[in-house]
Amino acid sequence: RGPGRPVRVPLDPELVSSLPVLPLSSVSEPSGDLRGRTLVTHDGIVYDITEFLEHHPGGRDLVMTAAGCDLGHFFDNYTVHGQSDKAAGWLASMAVGRLTEEDAVRAREGTDAPVHVGRRFGILAKARRRIVFVAASLPLWMTVRTCVRLVGWIVPGLGRLLARMVPVAVPGLSRGADPIAIEAAPAG
């Protein structure tokens, strides 16, 4: 444990007792109404963090390493979560279920350093593959961009249509790809 306090989510006991009991397997592989959602557990409560993914201060990829896992290990390692009540406050509104006591123990014990590191390496490997693909295909996209610019010079409407279809910005044809006008400061 580091310098942060343990993260305790302030949940009303009536709310907790009204939450449906979910099997631990539904956290790692959500089904039914929760299909396609990103679920985590903490202290036996199941949280749907799907809407929070894009807002996590550490980024989506970092929080996705916890998807389907118990947050206890992550909170122990990333002690910044216990230095304020922000993490606990955010989680409080995301409670969607609870685990049995046995499943809560299994969730906590099943999320350890090897699981965390393995997930982190998986996400980093995916990011590396994306970067290599972009770097390797850059000459192709630069050629496509030049061709689209040429078409746009001859037939502007067709050039704008093609510019919307390619995954690279085409100066003069893509929105937001216009040159930035920089005014010189007056001499004096």
Side-chain angles (χ1 to χ4, degrees):
R1 291 213 166 224
R5 298 182 323 261
V7 176
R8 299 283 177 240
V9 181
L11 293 175
D12 182 323
E14 280 188 39
L15 171 69
V16 172
S17 65
S18 72
L19 292 171
V21 175
L22 300 173
L24 183 56
S25 61
S26 70
V27 175
S28 57
E29 296 179 27
S31 60
D33 291 344
L34 297 172
R35 180 180 303 281
R37 309 303 290 175
T38 302
L39 304 180
V40 296
T41 67
H42 183 56
D43 290 337
I45 304 297
V46 178
Y47 298 95
D48 179 352
I49 61 167
T50 309
E51 305 305 321
F52 180 65
L53 293 176
E54 302 303 327
H55 305 287
H56 185 268
R60 177 187 178 87
D61 286 348
L62 184 61
V63 77
M64 283 303 292
T65 63
C69 295
D70 185 82
L71 296 176
H73 170 77
F74 298 92
F75 289 157
D76 290 348
N77 283 285
Y78 300 105
T79 58
V80 67
H81 296 100
Q83 293 176 5
S84 75
D85 294 330
K86 285 183 181 178
W90 283 332
L91 274 177
S93 65
M94 300 179 206
V96 294
R98 58 190 165 105
L99 299 173
T100 63
E101 286 185 36
E102 296 81 23
D103 276 351
V105 169
R106 285 194 358 228
R108 176 68 184 191
E109 290 174 350
T111 305
D112 55 10
V115 169
H116 180 194
V117 170
R119 287 169 163 265
R120 190 76 180 129
F121 278 143
I123 288 173
L124 289 173
K126 185 178 176 183
R128 277 190 218 102
R129 285 191 300 271
R130 231 182 354 239
I131 289 169
V132 168
F133 172 76
V134 168
S137 65
L138 193 56
L140 167 73
W141 293 116
M142 297 307 290
T143 303
V144 168
R145 184 169 94 163
T146 301
C147 293
V148 170
R149 286 183 81 182
L150 178 62
V151 169
W153 181 68
I154 298 168
V155 184
L158 181 58
R160 282 190 294 277
L161 175 68
L162 292 173
R164 282 194 297 248
M165 297 169 67
V166 296
V168 293
V170 182
L173 298 173
S174 298
R175 286 189 188 176
D178 297 324
I180 298 173
I182 300 175
E183 297 180 25

